[in-house]
Amino acid sequence: MSDSDSPSVHKDFVRQIIDGDNDSGKWGGVVHTRFPPEPNGYLHIGHAKAICLNFGIAEEYGGKCNLRFDDTNPEKEEVEYVESIKADIRWLGFDWEDRLFFASDYFEQLYQWAEQLITDGNAYVCSLPLEEIRSGRGTPSEPGTDSPYRSRSVEENLDLFRRMRAGEFDEGDHVLRAKIDMGHQVMLLRDPIMYRIRKVEHHRTGDQWCIYPTYDFTHGQSDSIEGITHSICTLEFENRRPLYDWYCDTLGIHHPQQIEFNRLNLTYTMMSKRRLLLLVNEGHVDGWDDPRMPTLSGLRRRGYTPASIRSLCTKVGVTKHNAMADLVLLENEIRDELNKSADRRMAVLNPIKVTITNYPEGQTEELDAVNNPEDESAGSRKVTFGRELYIERDDFMENPPRKFFRLGIGREVRLRWAYFITCTDVVKDDDGNITEILCTYDPETKGGDAPDGRKVKATMHWVSVDTAVDATVHLYDPLFTKEDVDDVEDESLDWKSNLNPDSRKTVTGKLEQALAGSESGYRCQFERLGYFIVEQSSQPDALVFNRIVTLKDAWAKANKKK
RNA sequence: AACCCGAUAGUGUAAUCGGUAACACAACAGAUUUUGAUUCUGUUAUUCCAGGUUCAAGUCCUGGUCGGGUUACCA
């Protein structure tokens, strides 16, 4: 590769293993990985890490990465999920080319291998009820007891297993178990289940099968069939590696190396598909693609870019111990990217009216505003100034503390790209609430510079009342109030008690006219507020924006601390 | 409890033959600034514990502690 002379490109332990294999010639220099999602939910940012690892490694080593759906449990799996997963991987920027596979494509081969194990005396049909299989397995400290069916003859096992396939039995009547060791220290090796009867339609094979293989009896063999060299999975599969190895070895087939890495955890959210499904089903969010969800479709709708997510995935690293990455890491990625590329616009989200008392009634003027100070080529646009304006309510204080250097009575500030204004008075309603701010402007400061060189402490955004465009703006905050979603006060509470009731606030904002008619997917910075994207449901004449992320705000942070 | 895995600034990671513990983010301070943003500069702070081997240990050895996983006819 080209940048091999860049000083110290750290390689994680997975890549180090691959380097070692390439040096020793273990796989003849071949690197072939796979990403194996189960189509029972939407992909989340944790999956993005696995995708970046598997597809990324294939790219770096001149190898290939397959997409394989691990669809052995028809009760939970749906075509909708298959399609969303494919779309999300493509959006992230990866391509499986012609290597789209399904574990269900291998059902017949798997079945033949099961018969082989039976024939070799390595598997048997067990007719114990579920509860007895469980109790018979013993506990980690006590060995299990052999099933009474463990010694069935090969002929009887074969006959029973074929009749299971033929649909002669009901669910739960029989299972096929591997004959390993009921006293093994690893519980998983105490005669694990290989096949169970499920009279359920499968989203791809329909009613062709009424017995389905378990994950363990499927995964390694699927890797084997596809010629995978490095089967990379998350830490919770570490315990299953002995079984993965046992099936490959006992069957005498190509035996990929399973390597486990730490999954991505992020503060203020969680990655459990079961829980995410619950959030959707119980209506805590609007759907899998709700902009508050850590799903790829949610992050996409929120306004995150594929590059920002990929960048996070490389920054968090790959190790073997459980880690929880700070959400601000992700936020910084999108801030960095959009700071360089996004147009600046002015929008007032909590408006209060300002009247410039010495500005002629009925007069307006067009002023030049720079689109992006970080990118000269972005050019400029016109903004309209007039006698009546909106500013942010938070930018005015009647009795400002010492450190507050925005607008107050008698204070002078700059309106971005416009004039210096000085507050002379406020108008209040009968309850004493401020309804309007009265100011004068200095015509000499047009564009925002004072010829006499005098300084102001604050520059504020604003929008003229006459040209303001209304828009619905969704302000998002983290879905949970705790860094660790499982951090609950007492036993009676669960993670749902940490749901943030204020994770979405919706306001009507006043936008500068350049934003009129914006198309869905357009990202810009609302100056001093944050980065926003035009919502996918937005219409040119009924604008809807999502806040992607706020700008860093030292003033807000200082206040929060008090 | 048995088995498996892990432990390095607040967080995430690096230190490849045993040879000056470092990077990013966060925090704090300052400079610049027509965004209290960005940018720049600086500061604080790290090898789980106890022994051992060694001129020298984050790294090797022994014992412990703590954390996670497994104990599904889910993946």
Side-chain angles (χ1 to χ4, degrees):
Chain A
M1 302 263 154
S2 57
D3 52 3
S4 55
D5 41 34
S6 62
S8 61
V9 182
H10 164 67
K11 289 207 176 178
D12 57 65
F13 82 98
V14 179
R15 279 173 248 249
Q16 285 175 27
I17 290 172
I18 294 172
D19 284 346
D21 290 345
N22 284 344
D23 288 348
S24 72
K26 181 176 177 184
W27 304 108
V30 174
V31 175
H32 202 148
T33 58
R34 98 271 92 111
F35 175 63
E38 184 191 10
N40 68 341
Y42 280 62
L43 255 29
H44 53 61
I45 192 166
H47 293 112
K49 177 173 171 177
I51 293 167
C52 290
L53 230 206
N54 278 296
F55 281 94
I57 281 175
E59 259 173 48
E60 287 162 41
Y61 287 89
K64 293 180 182 347
C65 179
N66 298 355
L67 170 59
R68 180 175 72 238
F69 286 93
D70 224 327
D71 55 348
T72 59
N73 184 7
E75 287 170 322
K76 293 183 180 171
E77 295 156 5
E78 294 174 23
V79 184
E80 179 201 347
Y81 296 132
V82 171
E83 293 311 315
S84 76
I85 288 168
K86 285 155 70 176
D88 286 344
I89 298 172
R90 281 200 200 96
W91 175 73
L92 248 197
F94 297 100
D95 185 6
W96 55 89
E97 297 168 326
D98 58 348
R99 296 178 309 282
L100 169 64
F101 302 114
F102 293 82
S104 53
D105 292 341
Y106 310 137
F107 279 173
E108 183 59 38
Q109 172 65 262
L110 257 8
Y111 176 85
Q112 294 303 328
W113 275 329
E115 285 210 355
Q116 181 188 327
L117 289 187
I118 293 172
T119 306
D120 296 343
N122 288 317
Y124 63 98
V125 172
C126 181
S127 310
L128 246 25
L130 172 60
E131 282 315 312
E132 286 182 43
I133 289 180
R134 269 189 201 159
S135 57
R137 208 145 15 215
T139 68
S141 40
E142 305 154 45
T145 50
D146 285 3
S147 161
Y149 302 100
R150 201 172 198 264
S151 52
R152 285 218 255 234
S153 69
V154 168
E155 291 68 33
E156 189 184 3
N157 281 323
L158 231 32
D159 174 61
L160 250 17
F161 187 49
R162 285 172 183 165
R163 287 162 62 197
M164 280 167 66
R165 175 179 185 168
E168 290 185 29
F169 307 113
D170 289 332
E171 290 188 9
D173 283 358
H174 309 282
V175 293
L176 185 70
R177 298 176 74 175
K179 192 190 282 190
I180 305 180
D181 178 1
M182 289 307 288
H184 203 105
Q185 281 178 321
V186 177
M187 294 286 290
L188 196 67
L189 262 23
R190 320 243 261 227
D191 291 10
I193 311 285
M194 293 165 56
Y195 270 91
R196 70 277 204 190
I197 300 171
R198 280 288 172 281
K199 302 208 164 171
V200 177
E201 187 137 323
H202 185 282
H203 69 102
R204 296 196 86 235
T205 60
D207 57 5
Q208 199 184 332
W209 294 89
C210 62
I211 55 172
Y212 291 95
T214 56
Y215 165 84
D216 290 300
F217 190 67
T218 304
H219 201 89
Q221 293 98 304
S222 300
D223 284 344
S224 185
I225 290 168
E226 294 176 17
I228 300 303
T229 54
H230 304 271
S231 180
I232 302 167
C233 60
T234 46
L235 250 27
E236 64 269 28
F237 291 93
E238 224 160 14
N239 293 282
R240 319 195 82 88
R241 189 173 357 115
L243 228 203
Y244 183 108
D245 293 341
W246 191 87
Y247 283 130
C248 285
D249 289 346
T250 309
L251 255 9
I253 57 177
H254 168 71
H255 185 163
Q257 180 182 2
Q258 177 176 309
I259 304 169
E260 309 87 11
F261 71 98
N262 64 339
R263 67 158 67 231
L264 171 66
N265 292 303
L266 273 185
T267 55
Y268 297 105
T269 189
M270 42 88 186
M271 304 298 172
S272 156
K273 272 202 267 184
R274 208 192 84 250
R275 288 181 177 181
L276 294 175
L277 178 63
L278 211 91
L279 290 179
V280 173
N281 287 343
E282 292 186 357
H284 297 106
V285 295
D286 293 343
W288 284 100
D289 68 343
D290 186 297
R292 292 165 294 183
M293 291 281 271
T295 51
L296 294 181
S297 52
L299 291 165
R300 173 169 61 229
R301 189 166 178 179
R302 174 76 167 261
Y304 278 92
T305 58
S308 65
I309 292 171
R310 278 190 257 114
S311 181
L312 172 82
C313 290
T314 61
K315 283 204 176 145
V316 293
V318 177
T319 65
K320 282 185 77 90
H321 71 270
N322 302 299
M324 171 105 62
D326 207 323
L327 180 63
V328 304
L329 246 49
L330 209 215
E331 295 180 341
N332 284 340
E333 291 303 327
I334 194 67
R335 285 192 187 108
D336 269 5
E337 182 180 340
L338 295 181
N339 176 49
K340 293 179 199 114
S341 63
D343 288 336
R344 271 55 169 174
R345 294 291 182 261
M346 294 198 285
V348 177
L349 300 184
N350 184 14
I352 184 163
K353 203 170 104 180
V354 171
T355 300
I356 311 294
T357 52
N358 62 339
Y359 196 85
E361 229 156 316
Q363 182 178 314
T364 62
E365 62 187 306
E366 304 267 287
L367 301 165
D368 288 314
V370 171
N371 281 331
N372 186 350
E374 308 285 323
D375 177 11
E376 218 175 298
S377 71
S380 65
R381 73 214 184 259
K382 298 287 186 187
V383 289
T384 305
F385 189 79
R387 183 179 159 91
E388 296 190 319
L389 313 170
Y390 294 116
I391 65 163
E392 215 67 60
R393 203 169 270 271
D394 292 346
D395 283 341
F396 178 88
M397 282 186 93
E398 201 174 7
N399 301 301
R402 207 175 165 62
K403 292 256 182 76
F404 183 87
F405 44 82
R406 303 174 189 175
L407 201 57
I409 294 173
R411 290 175 172 229
E412 184 172 53
V413 299
R414 171 167 40 230
L415 293 182
R416 186 110 153 125
W417 310 122
Y419 294 97
F420 285 14
I421 60 169
T422 303
C423 176
T424 54
D425 204 359
V426 294
V427 179
K428 294 183 180 177
D429 64 14
D430 295 342
D431 299 325
N433 301 310
I434 297 171
T435 55
E436 187 182 346
I437 296 167
L438 303 179
C439 295
T440 59
Y441 84 116
D442 177 357
E444 297 297 310
T445 58
K446 182 170 179 174
D449 279 312
D452 62 4
R454 77 179 187 277
K455 304 274 187 204
V456 287
K457 277 184 147 174
T459 300
M460 296 171 12
H461 61 280
W462 55 277
V463 171
S464 86
V465 170
D466 287 344
T467 60
V469 177
D470 278 4
T472 299
V473 181
H474 298 299
L475 305 175
Y476 296 108
D477 275 313
L479 236 197
F480 291 89
T481 55
K482 296 272 183 66
E483 283 197 359
D484 177 357
V485 163
D486 284 309
D487 174 18
V488 289
E489 313 294 311
D490 64 275
E491 302 282 316
S492 67
L493 298 169
D494 68 354
W495 58 276
K496 277 193 273 180
S497 66
N498 288 329
L499 241 11
N500 178 7
D502 300 318
S503 58
R504 177 174 63 197
K505 287 182 212 125
T506 300
V507 299
T508 299
K510 302 289 185 185
L511 279 44
E512 68 167 90
Q513 68 267 41
L515 254 6
S518 296
E519 298 287 339
S520 287
Y522 173 73
R523 295 180 182 87
C524 65
Q525 182 193 109
F526 288 175
E527 293 225 24
R528 304 207 299 137
L529 298 176
Y531 295 99
F532 291 74
I533 186 170
V534 181
E535 231 286 318
Q536 66 183 36
S537 65
S538 180
Q539 298 296 323
D541 57 350
L543 293 174
V544 183
F545 282 78
N546 287 334
R547 182 170 70 196
I548 307 167
V549 67
T550 60
L551 256 34
K552 286 182 190 164
D553 187 345
W555 170 243
K557 194 168 71 178
N559 282 326
K560 214 173 171 181
K561 252 184 247 169
K562 285 174 192 168

